[in-house]
């Protein structure tokens, strides 16, 4: 027995004496020392952290076989089996960086991304709202980015020498057929959507993914918000209208309903206008948005908007040389749904659909024009992760649109219409060779029944990271689009219009400073042209047009140098010519400015809880055509200049006051001249200058949010 | 003799069976003792590592996760580089979500969750103020709905409220009475064990100094 006890004692002592020291160094591949790594024996409390030089050392009483773990944020854990028997262990641990898509190189050629993700974006959602001059218009805010030209008489997006119908807008993957409000001719429009609806924006000005077709110049991808955080009521009061919205949550879903009414009548009474309005622009809209979670990461989103607009303006009719009333009624319905279904951890199926119905009723003198658009878009995309470095996306879509135009004259009625079905499929693979290098190549095929034609477009992009902060990115691709609706009323013998993009981008993101420089070349071919024959004859039209656009874009953003200040500067140089539509020769189109500059500055004044924004924009003169001159597009508009300011005052966490003035110094703005269709008796085409509705624009608003549970603070502040 | 032998073996078995648990109390106690000597962000992260080691060995205990998250939240507050702040909070976030799975109805965890959101907020108050301010308010509301007497939940609610008041140019002194009441109540709250969270009195004392 004694023998047994002493044996036992011996073993216990042995165990106590068998102390092993584990020491070494933690470093990254390439030798960089990693301080603060966690080194331990799995399943025990024994371990330590590495010091500033990556060195570590600790003692353990444990004996036998153990797993040594070394963990460090952003690196793959190091795992090693060790035998603890009293003899010291010394090792150099080399950790490998985790492959992390958020930190890896990203494709930036032609692309601006705005969102609330942690990843460094060039813009965030708030920027879309607080940019002076945009007054909460998504498209207005985008016009402070390089690659865009401000066309004052339109307000739409004109990107890198492309016409406005070459830019398409998508919400949650589904097409928006009528993204802009209906307006009178030669007056600026705004987007139909409230920027607060979106959590992210991707604005691609070239070389975009094969997922998107029917856009020669750019795609704007808007992602709507996910689940709202709590029940709330929002009220907005503006000098031009009011809006109320309510959000109600249930277990796994939420609904937001809103109504809004806008009427410029009172405003136009106060501020002198350049035109006489018989009925100031008035619009009533109602929207509903539903979110329903399905399973762990599935989500169904439904958004629907109904919009009723009306206006009547007195305009000079140059053909009859007298003032006439132009009245417009617009009736727009839009439904958008998207459904994300994870099929497994690696596969995600996204189905999106949209439906649009848009009716314009225009009356001008004795002419009535009824324009109708009905269309839908159905799309299904399967994203498949192959390993953690490769993603394959395949998808198919069906777009339909029915367009009808009825011209009612006093004596007779003309009716024209066409129906287009577009069937397409695409496949695209994104492959990371490492954190530093990624390629994406895809292709897309489309068949259009109306034209009885098909197209095939290859797309390719690659990006290479030079250092943690800077990278190069390039893109190449073919892009196709149906010819303008104006021509498809009369012919279906046209080919697709085509643009080939070549984009090279350098981007550097360094601690709150962004620099982007981009050069591009676009080769346009098969552009639709209108010959000299009668407009209603199919033979009048052909696809022999062509053109090019090349340029250089620069973007600088700096949130660092000025404390509480944040500014960006965009400059674009554009050289473009085209021979299309009714152009007799290759010439610079009317929507292109050679030089475009935007300077946006925002400053946060903590003491007075105010966010102040100033924005200056300049666009060099654009061409316009004077039929009295022999030279086509030979005239030049005034250079466009504006200086806008805005002020947001956070009165309470839930109450914001907002004031803004567009074109504060009252720069003279003129967008060329319009001319009569036929010369008068003396052989001269009469003309008048195109000017904005008023020299300046003022806006005052108040936004209120009411919540009932959760944050008690807010309730205190409401009283 | 056999009985004695049996007893010895049994005792040894019991001791070795308990040893992990004793070791746990020892390791936790020793680590908690180090809080006082931590000054820099690196100190707190190293202490966080120590709690993480305990957490991986005792994977059903929420307390080591709590202190691991807590150390990293403090480190994030001390750190000045916004990118690093977020990276440190990513580390804390892992423990936060693990804890919410383990003990979804624990007041202390929801109170800590509120500090976590506040730490995310201060990385960029202008852009994150609205979202994270609301999340922090909700987390502290949840904590107080489980246990309205929890002093740390009450403290964080007061800190949030005074911060908001200061921001909106109101006098935070209106919350001083509430702070004094909290100080008076502080010792009535008894942590469930020596290892349970018991911090906050010092911060409250500091807050009260500004009230005088």
């Amino acid at each position: 027995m004694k023998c047994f006890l002493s044996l036992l004692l011996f073993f216990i002592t042995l165990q106590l004496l068998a102390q092993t020291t584990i020491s070494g160094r933690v470093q990254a591949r390439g030798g960089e020392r990693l301080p603060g790594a966690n080194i331990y024996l799995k399943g025990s409390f024994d371990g330590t952290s590495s010091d500033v030089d990556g060195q570590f050392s600790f003692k353990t009483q444990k004996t036998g076989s153990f797993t040594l773990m070394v963990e460090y944020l952003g690196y793959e854990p190091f795992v090693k089996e060790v035998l603890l028997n009293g003899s010291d262990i010394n090792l150099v641990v080399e950790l490998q960086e985790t492959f992390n898509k958020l930190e890896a190189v990203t494709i930036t050629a032609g692309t601006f991304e705005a969102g609330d993700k942690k990843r460094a974006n060039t813009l965030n959602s708030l920027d879309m709202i607080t940019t002076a001059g945009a007054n909460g218009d998504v498209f207005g805010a985008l016009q402070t980015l390089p690659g865009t030209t401000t066309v004052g008489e339109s307000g739409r997006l004109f990107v890198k020498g492309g016409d406005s119908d070459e830019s398409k807008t998508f919400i949650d993957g589904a097409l928006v057929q009528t993204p802009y409000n209906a307006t009178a001719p030669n007056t600026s429009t705004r987007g139909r959507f409230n920027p607060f609806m979106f959590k992210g924006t991707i604005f691609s000005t070239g070389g975009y993914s094969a997922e998107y077709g029917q856009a020669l110049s750019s795609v704007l991808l808007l992602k709507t918000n996910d689940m709202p955080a709590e029940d709330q009521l929002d009220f907005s009061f503006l000098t031009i209208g009011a809006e109320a919205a309510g959000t109600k949550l249930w277990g796994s879903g939420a609904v937001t309903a809103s109504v809004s009414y806008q009427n410029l009548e009172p405003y136009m009474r106060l501020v002198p206008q350049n035109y006489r309005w018989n009925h100031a622009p008035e619009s009533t809209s109602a929207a509903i948005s539903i979110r329903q979670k399905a399973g762990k990461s599935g989500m169904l989103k439904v958004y629907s908007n109904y919009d009723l607009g009306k206006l009547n303006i007195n305009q000079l009719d140059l053909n009859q040389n007298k003032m006439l009333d132009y009245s417009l009624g617009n009736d727009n319905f839009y439904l958008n749904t998207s459904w994300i279904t994870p099929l497994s951890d690696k596969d995600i199926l996204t189905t999106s659909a949209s439906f649009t119905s848009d009716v314009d009723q225009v009356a001008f003198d004795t002419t009535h024009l009824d324009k109708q658009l009905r269309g839908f878009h159905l799309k299904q995309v399967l994203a498949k992760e192959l390993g953690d470095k490769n993603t394959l996306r395949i998808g198919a879509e069906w777009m339909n649109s029915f367009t009808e135009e009825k011209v009612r004259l006093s004596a007779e009625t003309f009716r024209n219409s066409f129906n287009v079905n577009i069937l397409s499929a695409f496949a695209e693979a994104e492959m990371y060779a490492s954190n530093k290098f990624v390629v994406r190549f895809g292709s897309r095929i489309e068949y259009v029944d109306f034209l009885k034609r098909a197209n095939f477009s290859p797309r390719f992009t690659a990006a290479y990271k030079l250092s943690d902060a800077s990278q190069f990115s390039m893109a190449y691709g073919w892009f196709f689009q149906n010819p303008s609706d104006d021509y498809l009323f009369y012919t279906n013998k046209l080919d697709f219009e085509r643009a080939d993009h070549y984009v090279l981008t350098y981007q550097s993101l360094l601690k709150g400073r962004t620099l982007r420089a981009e050069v591009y070349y676009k080769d346009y071919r098969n552009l639709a042209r209108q010959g000299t024959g009668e407009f209603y004859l199919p033979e009048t039209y052909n696809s022999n047009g062509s053109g090019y656009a090349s340029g250089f874009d620069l973007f600088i953003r700096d949130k660092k140098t000025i404390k509480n200040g944040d500014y960006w500067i965009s400059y674009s140089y554009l050289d473009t010519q085209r021979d299309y539509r009714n152009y007799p020769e290759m010439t610079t189109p009317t929507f292109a400015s050679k030089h475009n500059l935007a300077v946006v500055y925002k400053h946060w004044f903590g003491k007075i809880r105010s966010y102040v924004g100033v924005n200056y924009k300049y666009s060099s003169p654009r061409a316009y055509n004077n039929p009295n001159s022999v030279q086509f597009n030979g005239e030049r508009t005034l250079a466009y200049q504006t200086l806008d300011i805005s002020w947001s005052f956070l009165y309470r966490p839930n109450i914001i006051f907002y004031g803004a003035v567009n074109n504060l110094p009252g720069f003279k703005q003129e967008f060329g001249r319009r001319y009569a269709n036929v010369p008068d008796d003396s052989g001269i085409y009469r003309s008048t200058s195109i000017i904005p509705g008023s020299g300046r624009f003022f806006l005052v608003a108040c936004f209120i949010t009411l919540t009932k549970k959760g944050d008690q603070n807010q309730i205190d502040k409401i009283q | 003799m056999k009985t004695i032998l049996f007893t010895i073996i049994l005792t040894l078995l019991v001791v070795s069976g308990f040893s992990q648990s004793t070791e746990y109390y020892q390791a936790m106690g020793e680590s908690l003792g180090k809080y006082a000597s931590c000054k820099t962000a690196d100190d707190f992260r190293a202490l966080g590592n120590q709690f993480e080691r305990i957490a991986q060995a005792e994977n059903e205990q929420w307390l080591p996760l709590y202190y691991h998250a807590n150390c990293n939240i403090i480190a994030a507050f001390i750190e000045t580089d916004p990118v690093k702040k977020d990276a440190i909070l990513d580390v804390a976030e892992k423990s936060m979500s693990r804890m919410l799975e383990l003990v979804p109805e624990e007041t202390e965890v929801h109170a800590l969750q509120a500090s976590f959101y506040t730490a995310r907020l201060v990385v960029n108050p202008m852009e994150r103020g609205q979202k994270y301010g609301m999340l922090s308010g909700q987390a502290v509301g949840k904590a107080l709905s489980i246990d309205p007497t929890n002093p740390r939940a009450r403290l964080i609610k007061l800190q949030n409220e005074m911060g908001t008041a200061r921001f909106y140019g109101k006098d935070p002194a209106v919350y001083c009475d509430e702070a004094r009441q909290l100080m008076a109540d502080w010792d009535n709250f008894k942590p469930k064990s020596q290892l349970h969270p018991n911090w906050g009195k010092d911060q409250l004392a500091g807050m009260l100094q500004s009230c005088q």
Side-chain angles (χ1 to χ4, degrees):
Chain A
M1 193 61 235
K2 263 189 186 149
C3 171
F4 174 76
L5 275 177
S6 43
L7 198 67
L8 195 70
L9 204 66
F10 172 74
F11 275 112
I12 292 170
T13 325
L14 187 71
Q15 202 170 350
L16 284 176
L17 289 175
Q19 174 174 289
T20 310
T21 304
I22 303 174
S23 60
R25 189 170 77 218
V26 186
Q27 62 184 45
R29 283 222 173 140
E32 187 201 342
R33 307 295 168 88
L34 301 174
N38 202 358
I39 304 114
Y40 61 89
L41 296 170
K42 201 172 175 186
S44 84
F45 300 134
D46 297 341
T48 187
S49 298
S50 57
D51 67 12
V52 276
D53 296 317
Q55 304 282 351
F56 67 91
S57 171
F58 69 97
K59 293 184 172 67
T60 178
Q61 312 281 355
K62 298 266 187 263
T63 52
S65 200
F66 272 86
T67 307
L68 179 74
M69 302 281 298
V70 180
E71 289 179 344
Y72 189 71
L73 181 72
Y75 288 81
E76 297 288 348
F78 171 90
V79 184
K80 191 185 164 76
E81 296 302 321
V82 288
L83 184 68
L84 306 177
N85 56 11
S87 49
D88 293 353
I89 297 171
N90 189 297
L91 67 172
V92 173
V93 176
E94 213 172 52
L95 298 182
Q96 196 189 347
E97 247 185 294
T98 317
F99 177 75
N100 181 345
K101 276 194 182 158
L102 286 182
E103 275 153 36
V105 59
T106 49
I107 291 167
T108 49
T111 303
F112 280 92
E113 203 170 341
D116 292 329
K117 281 179 290 179
K118 274 184 272 161
R119 163 172 161 177
N121 283 316
T122 39
L123 291 179
N124 62 47
S125 310
L126 192 72
D127 292 332
M128 308 297 293
I129 298 156
T130 55
T131 300
N135 290 331
D137 176 27
V138 175
F139 298 102
L142 292 175
Q143 285 171 36
T144 62
L145 294 181
T148 61
T149 298
T150 304
V151 178
E153 71 275 25
S154 163
R156 294 163 189 246
L157 276 182
F158 290 83
V159 178
K160 288 182 174 166
D163 205 340
S164 65
D165 61 8
E166 295 175 18
S167 295
K168 292 280 163 28
T169 303
F170 295 83
I171 293 180
D172 292 331
L175 180 69
V176 185
Q177 307 225 20
T178 49
Y180 303 101
N181 278 320
T183 52
N186 297 315
T187 57
S188 185
T189 185
R190 287 169 62 87
R192 283 184 191 274
F193 303 101
N194 180 341
F196 287 102
M197 270 174 61
F198 306 109
K199 66 168 181 187
T201 308
I202 296 174
F203 178 43
S204 182
T205 60
Y208 28 90
S209 147
E211 187 177 340
Y212 305 99
Q214 290 292 324
L216 290 186
S217 277
S218 86
V219 287
L220 173 63
L221 314 174
L222 300 165
K223 272 180 253 162
T224 58
N225 294 323
D226 293 330
M227 287 289 290
E230 58 184 324
D231 290 355
Q232 66 179 55
L233 282 174
D234 295 278
F235 298 97
S236 322
F237 302 97
L238 298 90
T239 38
I240 54 168
E243 183 173 337
T247 298
K248 178 78 195 153
L249 270 71
W250 57 85
S252 54
V255 61
T256 301
S258 68
V259 282
S260 91
Y261 176 74
Q262 275 198 8
N263 190 339
L264 270 78
E265 178 75 37
Y267 172 79
M268 286 178 163
R269 275 176 196 277
L270 274 170
V271 182
Q273 297 292 307
N274 293 330
Y275 298 105
R276 195 165 70 80
W277 292 85
N278 300 314
H279 190 124
E282 180 189 7
S283 75
T284 312
S285 54
I288 188 158
S289 141
I290 300 165
R291 265 109 195 79
Q292 177 65 53
K293 277 190 200 159
K296 211 172 173 191
S297 50
M299 171 86 97
L300 173 72
K301 291 178 175 181
V302 180
Y303 168 76
S304 177
N305 182 71
Y306 181 69
D307 207 347
L308 208 58
K310 211 174 167 181
L311 61 89
N312 188 323
I313 186 171
N314 194 254
Q315 280 189 336
L316 175 67
D317 179 44
L318 293 158
N319 296 319
Q320 300 180 49
N321 201 18
K322 64 175 184 184
M323 299 301 285
L324 287 176
D325 291 343
Y326 176 97
S327 87
L328 170 78
N330 175 261
D331 192 333
N332 184 280
F333 173 76
Y334 182 68
L335 174 71
N336 182 299
T337 60
S338 73
W339 184 28
I340 298 172
T341 342
L343 300 177
S344 71
D345 284 354
K346 305 274 178 205
D347 306 317
I348 297 170
L349 185 69
T350 308
T351 310
S352 30
S354 71
F355 173 78
T356 307
S357 161
D358 186 70
V359 179
D360 269 343
Q361 287 186 307
V362 177
F364 190 65
D365 196 13
T366 53
T367 309
H368 290 263
L369 172 72
D370 297 343
K371 214 177 160 181
Q372 204 197 121
L373 170 76
R374 245 192 352 258
F376 64 82
H377 179 203
L378 251 176
K379 177 158 93 177
Q380 198 156 49
V381 179
L382 176 72
K384 208 172 170 53
E385 265 183 48
L386 306 164
D388 52 350
K389 291 184 182 172
N390 304 314
T391 313
L392 178 69
R393 291 164 64 77
I394 50 173
E397 61 183 341
W398 178 18
M399 278 185 202
N400 167 274
S401 67
F402 171 76
T403 314
E404 185 188 60
E405 217 174 58
K406 250 193 284 190
V407 183
R408 285 185 284 134
L409 302 171
S410 36
E412 48 190 334
T413 299
F414 300 95
R415 184 182 166 280
N416 287 299
S417 69
F418 65 91
N419 185 49
V420 180
N421 283 295
I422 304 169
L423 291 171
S424 23
F426 75 90
E428 193 160 64
E430 188 172 80
M431 289 177 286
Y432 281 87
S434 68
N435 269 347
K436 281 191 182 340
F437 185 60
V438 60
V439 290
R440 186 174 77 192
F441 51 87
S443 60
R444 173 181 182 87
I445 47 168
E446 272 179 3
Y447 173 75
V448 176
D449 68 341
F450 184 68
L451 302 174
K452 295 193 184 63
R453 281 173 193 274
N455 67 53
F456 167 79
S457 27
R459 313 270 170 100
F460 175 77
T461 57
Y464 180 74
K465 202 169 183 170
L466 296 168
S467 67
D468 279 349
S470 61
Q471 62 167 63
F472 271 111
S473 192
M474 62 77 62
Y476 168 73
W478 300 358
F479 299 81
F480 292 93
Q481 182 171 329
N482 290 351
S484 161
D485 289 357
D486 299 345
Y487 299 166
L488 295 184
F489 281 124
Y490 311 109
T491 179
N492 63 355
K493 298 278 185 290
L494 294 173
D495 202 348
F496 295 105
E497 298 190 327
R498 172 173 165 183
D500 293 2
H501 295 188
Y502 304 80
V503 188
L504 178 67
T505 309
Y506 169 80
Q507 175 165 299
S508 143
L509 291 172
L510 196 65
K511 288 187 177 169
R513 291 191 186 100
T514 305
L515 170 76
R516 266 176 70 106
E518 188 162 286
V519 285
Y520 64 90
Y521 179 77
K522 273 157 76 174
D523 180 16
Y524 283 93
R525 60 186 88 171
N526 303 339
L527 298 181
R529 293 183 71 221
Q530 182 176 7
T532 48
E534 293 293 346
F535 72 90
Y536 50 84
L537 295 175
E539 309 79 275
T540 305
Y541 304 95
N542 64 56
S543 288
N544 300 336
S546 64
Y548 71 90
S550 67
F552 166 73
D553 291 344
L554 192 66
F555 178 81
I556 295 166
R557 176 145 200 196
D558 179 357
K559 300 184 184 185
K560 183 108 178 157
T561 311
I562 306 168
K563 195 172 167 14
N564 292 328
D566 171 9
Y567 66 89
W568 73 80
I569 300 171
S570 302
Y571 170 76
S572 315
Y573 171 80
L574 169 65
D575 171 25
T576 182
Q577 287 201 330
R578 52 171 68 192
D579 176 9
Y580 86 137
R581 300 215 147 207
N582 59 347
Y583 287 17
E585 62 196 26
M586 194 75 131
T587 184
T588 304
T590 54
F591 48 79
S593 290
K594 189 163 251 184
H595 305 280
N596 284 282
L597 174 75
V599 181
V600 177
Y601 182 75
K602 300 172 185 193
H603 198 100
W604 170 248
F605 293 96
K607 278 217 167 108
I608 48 166
R609 306 186 303 283
S610 291
Y611 209 33
V612 174
V614 185
N615 159 24
Y616 171 77
K617 282 207 296 186
Y618 169 87
S619 294
S620 61
R622 287 184 283 125
Y624 68 95
N625 187 42
N626 177 355
N628 297 311
S629 148
V630 286
Q631 202 195 340
F632 187 78
N633 276 2
E635 304 284 343
R636 293 288 175 269
T637 65
L638 282 181
Y640 171 81
Q641 277 192 94
T642 183
L643 179 78
D644 314 318
I645 56 160
S646 72
W647 179 54
S648 315
F649 172 54
L650 223 59
Y651 173 63
R652 292 286 179 260
N654 60 330
I655 303 175
I656 300 168
F657 288 99
Y658 178 81
V661 185
N662 284 14
N663 193 15
L664 181 73
F667 289 121
K668 188 177 180 205
Q669 296 176 344
E670 196 194 79
F671 312 125
R673 301 183 77 79
R674 57 193 178 91
Y675 291 84
N677 294 340
V678 286
D680 63 10
D681 299 341
S682 54
I684 303 277
Y685 290 86
R686 270 192 296 268
S687 71
T688 181
S689 75
I690 304 169
I691 50 171
S694 63
R696 299 181 179 85
F697 179 74
F698 304 87
L699 183 72
V700 179
C702 170
F703 305 99
I704 302 172
T705 303
L706 304 180
T707 53
K708 69 167 188 276
K709 64 164 199 190
D711 190 2
Q712 298 288 317
N713 293 345
Q714 296 206 345
I715 300 247
D716 295 346
K717 301 298 174 300
I718 294 162
Q719 293 153 1
Chain B
M1 191 64 230
K2 264 191 182 158
T3 342
I4 299 173
L5 184 62
F6 185 72
T7 320
I8 292 173
I9 292 172
L10 197 70
T11 317
L12 279 172
L13 279 175
V14 171
V15 168
S16 62
F18 266 120
S19 72
Q20 183 84 351
S21 158
T22 322
E23 236 185 313
Y24 169 67
Y25 280 101
Q26 257 175 10
M28 284 294 281
E30 186 209 342
S31 307
L32 286 171
K34 284 190 186 163
Y35 258 98
S37 57
C38 286
K39 283 183 183 67
T40 65
D42 286 344
D43 294 344
F44 278 104
R45 294 186 64 189
L47 182 57
N49 278 349
Q50 205 165 327
F51 284 113
E52 191 184 19
R53 293 195 287 270
I54 304 176
Q56 58 81 31
E58 297 277 338
N59 54 21
E60 291 307 313
Q61 297 282 355
W62 65 272
L63 285 167
L65 293 166
Y66 178 93
Y67 292 110
H68 171 247
N70 183 254
C71 283
N72 281 292
I73 292 168
I74 298 172
F77 273 116
I78 300 172
E79 178 61 56
T80 49
D81 178 357
V83 177
K84 277 193 191 160
K85 270 177 187 281
D86 264 333
I88 297 171
L89 289 170
D90 289 345
V91 176
E93 192 164 24
K94 276 190 192 163
S95 291
M96 289 303 320
S97 18
R98 174 88 183 105
M99 260 188 289
L100 287 165
E101 278 171 27
L102 276 177
V103 280
E105 292 298 317
E106 174 58 55
T107 319
E108 299 288 357
V109 174
H110 290 285
L112 189 65
Q113 177 89 343
S115 317
F116 170 78
Y117 286 132
T118 307
R120 283 278 194 217
L121 184 154
V122 298
V123 177
N124 188 342
M126 238 191 304
E127 284 169 18
R128 298 186 180 178
Q130 212 191 354
K131 178 180 173 190
Y132 286 102
M134 196 158 72
L135 286 171
S136 178
Q138 278 178 337
V140 86
K142 169 87 182 166
L144 287 169
S145 72
I146 304 170
D147 180 3
T149 66
N150 185 289
R152 273 158 298 281
R154 289 171 65 189
L155 176 71
I156 291 164
K157 180 171 177 275
L158 265 175
Q159 283 171 336
N160 280 356
E161 281 171 342
M162 288 173 106
T164 317
R166 227 169 269 130
F167 182 82
Y168 285 97
K170 277 182 158 187
D171 187 3
V174 291
Y175 296 103
C176 282
D177 283 343
E178 214 178 318
R180 278 182 210 106
Q181 186 58 49
L182 176 56
M183 188 50 113
D185 294 346
W186 195 279
D187 293 324
N188 296 340
F189 184 90
K190 298 281 176 260
K192 284 182 197 137
S193 80
Q194 290 254 307
L195 300 183
H196 275 70
N198 195 17
W199 56 271
K201 205 174 172 182
D202 294 348
Q203 276 112 307
L204 181 63
M207 191 190 270
L208 280 169
Q209 267 180 357
S210 71
C211 276
Q212 279 155 6

